[in-house]
């Protein structure tokens, strides 16, 4: 006790004298071999009486540097006994990855009973079993060692010299290099870059707070679930980098959080970091195009497959890290769906306009959307219902399943697909879906359906009418909305110099600058022609029971290799029409669901590895919730399965096949 008072006497004048320049940035420590971080601001405080009591119980076994780890256990019960402690620990062990028994070094129980201090609520045997060095409690009559502010359950750090209590974050290593940095909330309501690092780690460390601190409620249904945000969304207190170093440097930290992100925070989601975007959310391949940032690593298969773009950081993180529940990205021309496909996770492009994209870097406002990655269909549906709040639910599932032969390929039809191929996986899944919905697939050919419509003869085939639609819209929009203001702002403070731009966005912007000004309106017209046709003749909306009359399927990823160490040549302008462009032009949802995996012989590892096989689902515009609900129900019926992190997407596959 004397030691602690002495410390206070010495420290106080220094703290006053250097207040302006001397700032604590939190503490890092390891406990039982696990790295942790405690943010600089305490969340509560013990009185000096309580601290004296703790110190007397600790005896000679004081912990390092006047710090001690302990757990808080609030209990609504009038009685408290060992059995209440054991019941709580049972939950904590399975629910949380941050708390461990090492935090039972001390225990603070806030219970509802009226035992008089210092009655012990935990038997000496149990205290010995957990190597508990101090035990405090406060009861209904406020006897005992009350905190200045009661705390939720969980692990905490106590500073014995001040009585201050700190939350703890577990630190995880970003071995896939998916993140730019981890984040923690700052006291002014925004976020700050996590200052901590796992000792000896070569990559970023991401901190996650204990799940025990949060309890979901009707107002905050996502409380305690963790998410990461693609670095094109503004978050108060953080810079937005858009995958470009000069852009990151040039603009100050943002002073507001994008409404799309705020909606998720309001639902209780915990922001743990910003993930890498390919530059300005354009398509980039790992080896040739990611010049400013290093491309994140796709964990599937041999770990050296391209992670697709542009929501690469979010997609690879979701596929790799069990401690991350969700990651958000954006989709203009496939930036959610591509990463969902090759990383083998659930990921969606929502209906256009599903959430506000204010304070999000634009690629092309008429095409931009905000999507979310998950590994579990039920969790995906929960987040989707919360985020896309303006869509209504419907009572039944669509009764028509459209199977476009032009996208599945004719070989699929003539031969039963050989076992072990992606086509066989698609076929088996669709057969189960047919039986679940009580219908059979309707084969159709989108290309010929369009070509045979006499109204559209003058437009030529879809591939012709829509050949330049996508590149015209994205390049004319992004040059005007992002490139030109950025280059002007940069030049103004850099003696007229230009910033570095990666080859892929620069190629696209150069195309945009070459176009005549009337090209934009013409391509909006062509997009609209397609959208109206698709909504009236292919996937029809407005159904009172199922919102969308039908579900349109197409293959998203078939387990083909795209090695990240392969040189593919210079970037090109993304001309053309494909299945992936349907939702882009028709403004419909396009949701990617993992349905299996296929083997390949890896040139990296020299052994058999597996890559994900995923399907895309399209329904009518604003019918997203029908699909979210369908996938949840299909998962509950074991027709689709949640995916796990790592090389394989399922954990119940035999080791040898
Ligand atoms: C300190 O810890 C050691 C090892 O756990 C234990 O044997 C000893 O009894 C403790 N001393 C006190 C005063 O708690
Ligand atoms: C304590 O118990 C009373 C009645 O028994 C109850 O009204 C109150 O909500 C309880 N307090 C807590 C914190 O659970
Ligand atoms: C304390 O317990 C009594 C029952 O003994 C209860 O009536 C009262 O509401 C409790 N007070 C609080 C603050 O929980
Ligand atoms: C926020 O930042 C923007 C852009 O720098 C600026 O125009 C605006 O005044 C700032 N708002 C506040 C409240 O500081
Ligand atoms: C959703 O509805 C709310 C309330 O009517 C409205 O304020 C908001 O702008 C809508 N959001 C979108 C993306 O349409
Ligand atoms: C779909 O229709 C197009 C245009 O008529 C045709 O070229 C193509 O072969 C058809 N695809 C299949 C698989 O039948
Ligand atoms: C876009 O559609 C118009 C007709 O609406 C057509 O004249 C024009 O050729 C189309 N543009 C392209 C590039 O195909
Ligand atoms: C892997 O290579 C072996 C030997 O060449 C071949 O028999 C096998 O079919 C290959 N497997 C795959 C999935 O390509």
């Amino acid at each position: 006790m004397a030691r602690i008072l002495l410390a206070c006497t010495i420290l106080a004048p220094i703290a006053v004298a250097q207040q302006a320049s001397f700032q604590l940035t939190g503490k890092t420590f390891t406990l039982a071999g696990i790295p942790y971080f405690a943010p600089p601001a305490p969340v509560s405080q013990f009185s000096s009486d309580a601290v004296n009591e703790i110190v007397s119980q600790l005896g000679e076994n004081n912990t390092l540097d006047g710090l001690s780890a302990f757990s808080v256990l609030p209990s609504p019960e009038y009685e408290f006994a060992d059995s209440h402690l054991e019941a709580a620990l049972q939950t904590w062990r399975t629910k949380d990855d941050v708390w461990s028994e090492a935090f039972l070094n001390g225990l603070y129980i806030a219970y509802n009973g009226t035992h008089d201090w210092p009655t012990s609520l935990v038997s000496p045997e149990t205290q010995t079993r957990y190597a508990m060095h101090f035990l405090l409690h406060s009861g209904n009559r406020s006897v005992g060692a009350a905190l200045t502010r009661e705390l939720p359950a969980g692990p905490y750090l106590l500073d014995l010299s001040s009585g201050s209590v700190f939350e703890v974050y577990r630190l995880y290593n970003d071995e896939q290099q998916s993140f730019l940095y981890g984040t923690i909330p700052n006291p002014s309501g925004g976020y700050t870059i996590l200052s901590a690092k796992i000792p000896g780690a070569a990559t970023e460390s991401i901190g996650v707070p204990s799940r025990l601190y949060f309890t979901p409620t009707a107002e905050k249904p996502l409380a305690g679930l963790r998410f990461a945000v693609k670095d094109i969304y503004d978050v108060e207190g953080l810079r937005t980098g858009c995958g470009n170093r000069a852009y990151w440097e040039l603009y100050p930290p943002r002073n507001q959080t994008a409404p799309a992100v705020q909606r998720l925070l309001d639902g209780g989601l915990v922001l743990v970091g910003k993930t890498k975007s390919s530059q300005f959310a354009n398509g980039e391949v790992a080896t040739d195009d990611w010049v400013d940032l290093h491309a994140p690593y796709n964990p599937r298969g041999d770990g050296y497959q391209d992670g697709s773009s542009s929501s690469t950081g979010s997609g690879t993180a979701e596929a790799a890290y069990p401690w991350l529940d969700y990651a958000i990205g954006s989709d203009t021309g496939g930036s959610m769906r591509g990463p969902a496909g090759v990383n083998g996770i659930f990921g969606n492009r929502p209906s256009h306009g599903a959430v506000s994209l204010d304070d999000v870097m634009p690629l092309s406002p008429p095409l931009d959307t905000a999507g979310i990655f998950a590994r579990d269909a039920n969790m995906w549906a929960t987040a989707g219902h919360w985020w896309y709040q303006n869509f209504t639910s419907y009572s039944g599932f669509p009764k028509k399943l459209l199977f476009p032969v032009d996208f599945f390929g004719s070989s699929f039809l003539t031969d039963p697909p050989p076992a072990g191929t992606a086509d066989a996986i698609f076929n088996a899944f669709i057969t189960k879906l047919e039986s679940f919905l009580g219908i059979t697939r309707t084969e159709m050919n989108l290309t010929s359906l369009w070509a045979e419509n006499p109204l559209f003869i003058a437009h030529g085939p879809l591939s012709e009418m829509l050949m330049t639609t996508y590149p015209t819209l994205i390049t004319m929009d992004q040059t005007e909305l992002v490139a030109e203001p950025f280059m002007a702002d940069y030049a103004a403070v850099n003696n007229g110099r230009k910033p570095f731009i990666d080859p892929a966005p620069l190629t696209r912007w150069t195309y945009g600058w070459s176009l005549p000004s009337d090209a934009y309106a013409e391509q909006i017209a062509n997009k609209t022609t397609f959208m109206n046709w698709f909504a009236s003749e292919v996937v029809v909306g407005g159904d009172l029971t199922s919102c969308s009359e039908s579900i349109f399927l197409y293959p998203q990823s078939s387990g083909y290799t795209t090695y990240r160490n392969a040189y593919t040549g210079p970037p090109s302008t993304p001309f053309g029409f494909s299945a992936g462009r349907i939702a882009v032009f028709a403004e419909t949802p396009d949701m990617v669901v993992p349905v299996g995996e296929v083997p390949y012989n890896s040139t990296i590892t020299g052994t058999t590895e597996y890559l994900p096989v995923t399907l895309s689902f399209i329904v009518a515009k604003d019918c997203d919730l029908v699909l979210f609900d369908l996938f949840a129900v299909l998962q509950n019926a074991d027709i689709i399965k949640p995916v796990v992190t790592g090389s394989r997407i399922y954990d119940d596959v035999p080791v040898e096949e």
Side-chain angles (χ1 to χ4, degrees):
M1 201 158 71
R3 187 187 51 78
I4 287 161
L5 289 175
L6 182 65
C8 289
T9 329
I10 293 169
L11 282 176
I14 295 172
V16 171
Q18 299 195 345
Q19 214 159 16
S21 60
F22 185 65
Q23 205 181 357
L24 293 176
T25 55
K27 302 174 180 69
T28 55
F29 60 99
T30 64
L31 187 60
I34 294 174
Y36 293 96
F37 169 75
V43 287
S44 193
Q45 177 97 27
F46 279 115
S47 66
S48 53
D49 283 0
V51 173
N52 291 346
E53 175 63 26
I54 293 168
V55 171
S56 76
Q57 292 189 46
L58 281 168
E60 68 206 28
N61 284 337
N62 205 343
T63 40
L64 204 59
D65 266 354
L67 297 173
S68 199
F70 74 110
S71 300
V72 169
L73 174 51
S75 171
E77 305 293 332
Y78 183 71
E79 295 295 338
F80 192 94
D82 284 11
S83 57
H84 293 95
L85 174 63
E86 290 300 342
L89 299 187
Q90 202 51 44
T91 314
W92 293 3
R93 285 184 189 108
T94 52
K95 191 178 158 192
D96 192 28
D97 54 342
V98 179
W99 180 86
S100 82
E101 282 183 18
F103 284 94
L104 287 176
N105 174 56
L107 179 64
Y108 171 75
I109 301 166
Y111 84 123
N112 209 357
T114 56
H115 294 281
D116 286 332
W117 177 262
T119 304
S120 184
L121 302 184
V122 177
S123 70
E125 295 71 32
T126 298
Q127 292 184 45
T128 305
R129 184 146 59 88
Y130 290 116
M132 206 176 275
H133 283 113
F134 66 87
L135 176 68
L136 297 178
H137 61 263
S138 76
N140 169 305
R141 282 191 217 142
S142 283
V143 286
L147 287 163
T148 51
R149 177 178 159 258
E150 288 301 334
L151 294 172
Y156 293 90
L157 188 70
L158 169 63
D159 182 337
L160 290 163
S161 65
S162 61
S164 294
V165 176
F166 301 87
E167 287 183 330
V168 297
Y169 285 60
R170 180 170 178 173
L171 296 176
Y172 284 105
N173 188 16
D174 176 27
E175 63 262 14
Q176 306 305 119
Q177 301 181 34
S178 302
F179 282 83
L180 288 157
Y181 44 74
T183 53
I184 56 165
N186 69 26
S188 52
Y191 286 79
T192 191
I193 295 181
L194 177 72
S195 63
K197 182 111 187 202
I198 296 174
T203 51
E204 287 294 314
S205 299
I206 308 301
V208 300
S210 169
R211 294 188 187 278
L212 304 177
Y213 299 156
F214 307 93
T215 306
T217 60
E219 295 74 36
K220 291 190 182 297
L222 304 166
L225 297 172
R226 303 159 185 162
F227 80 126
V229 171
K230 180 179 185 176
D231 191 30
I232 65 166
Y233 289 82
D234 288 354
V235 172
E236 185 186 337
L238 302 173
R239 287 166 195 256
T240 302
C242 306
N244 182 283
R245 295 166 73 219
Y247 191 94
W248 197 88
E249 282 286 339
L250 182 64
Y251 295 110
R254 302 294 159 144
N255 58 17
Q256 58 189 8
T257 296
V261 176
Q262 191 58 50
R263 172 73 189 165
L264 296 174
L265 294 170
D266 291 346
L269 278 186
V270 176
L271 177 65
V272 301
K274 278 257 188 131
T275 54
K276 289 180 188 168
S277 172
S278 60
Q279 201 166 89
F280 299 109
N282 285 278
E284 296 191 311
V285 299
T287 301
D288 296 315
D289 298 335
W290 286 71
V291 180
D292 257 5
L293 301 183
H294 198 57
Y297 289 82
N298 176 344
R300 305 305 187 186
D302 51 35
Y304 278 83
Q305 300 300 314
D306 196 289
S308 189
S309 77
S310 64
S311 307
T312 321
S314 287
T316 54
E318 186 66 34
Y321 301 142
W323 43 266
L324 183 69
D325 299 301
Y326 300 107
I328 67 169
S330 63
D331 189 310
T332 305
S335 292
M336 284 295 301
R337 295 164 292 157
V342 301
N343 291 288
I345 48 179
F346 298 87
N348 67 311
R349 174 194 173 87
S351 296
H352 186 256
V355 289
S356 160
L357 289 176
D358 291 349
D359 309 311
V360 184
M361 184 218 59
L363 181 45
S364 177
L367 312 180
D368 291 342
T369 64
I372 186 160
F373 295 114
R375 290 185 300 274
D376 177 290
N378 281 304
M379 290 178 67
W380 202 30
T382 305
H385 275 268
W386 177 261
W387 208 16
Y388 307 124
Q389 56 183 313
N390 290 4
F391 299 146
T392 42
S393 266
Y394 290 81
S395 56
F397 295 126
K399 286 290 175 199
K400 197 170 175 191
L401 201 53
L402 297 179
F403 183 91
V405 296
D406 37 349
F407 299 126
F408 277 96
S410 49
S411 66
F412 193 96
L413 285 180
T414 46
D415 312 306
T421 64
D423 281 354
I425 291 169
F426 292 140
N427 202 35
F429 168 80
I430 294 167
T431 304
K432 284 186 200 166
L433 181 60
E434 289 174 328
S435 127
F436 180 83
L437 294 172
I439 54 179
T440 53
R441 68 192 89 170
T442 303
E443 283 171 9
M444 46 90 71
N445 183 330
L446 192 82
T447 316
S448 61
L449 194 64
W450 168 270
E452 284 157 14
N453 190 319
L455 286 177
F456 303 129
I457 300 289
H459 292 281
L462 280 176
S463 58
E464 240 168 66
M465 179 182 75
L466 298 168
M467 173 63 76
T468 62
T469 308
Y470 182 71
T472 300
L473 298 182
I474 62 164
T475 64
M476 291 185 81
D477 271 335
Q478 201 171 46
T479 48
E480 181 189 334
L481 299 173
V482 179
E484 286 158 18
F486 167 45
M487 292 171 112
D489 292 347
Y490 185 89
V493 295
N494 287 284
N495 300 317
R497 299 168 85 206
K498 288 190 209 165
F500 174 80
I501 310 293
D502 272 1
L506 191 56
T507 300
R508 292 169 173 210
W509 292 355
T510 304
Y511 174 74
W513 280 316
S514 77
L515 294 173
S517 58
D518 59 358
Y520 192 86
E522 180 183 307
Q523 292 311 327
I524 287 285
N526 289 348
K527 170 198 173 291
T528 306
T529 302
F530 175 78
M531 173 170 70
N532 293 343
W533 170 71
F534 193 79
S536 62
E537 292 191 32
V538 186
V539 175
V540 181
D543 189 296
L544 289 182
T545 307
S546 58
C547 191
S548 178
E549 231 175 65
S550 58
I551 299 172
F552 180 100
L553 300 173
Y554 74 90
Q556 178 60 230
S557 65
S558 297
Y560 299 135
T561 55
T562 309
Y563 287 100
R564 64 178 281 144
N565 58 339
Y567 293 89
T568 56
S572 54
T573 306
F575 294 117
F577 178 76
S578 61
R581 291 275 180 266
I582 295 172
V584 176
F585 299 141
E587 303 191 356
T588 64
D590 181 344
M591 300 182 61
V592 178
V593 172
V595 291
E597 52 183 5
V598 289
Y600 71 103
N601 289 330
S602 168
T603 61
I604 306 288
T605 63
T607 60
T608 302
E609 305 280 0
Y610 294 81
L611 289 176
V613 172
T614 63
L615 265 179
S616 253
F617 292 68
I618 292 175
V619 287
K621 188 175 184 197
D622 296 348
C623 297
D624 304 51
L625 298 186
V626 176
L627 283 183
F628 276 116
D629 292 343
L630 174 64
F631 301 138
V633 171
L634 289 176
Q635 181 173 292
N636 296 342
D638 211 24
I639 294 172
I640 57 178
K641 292 194 285 183
V643 297
V644 296
T645 55
S647 174
R648 304 287 299 267
I649 66 170
Y650 301 129
D651 60 6
D652 56 354
V653 286
V655 178
E656 288 297 322
E657 279 183 302

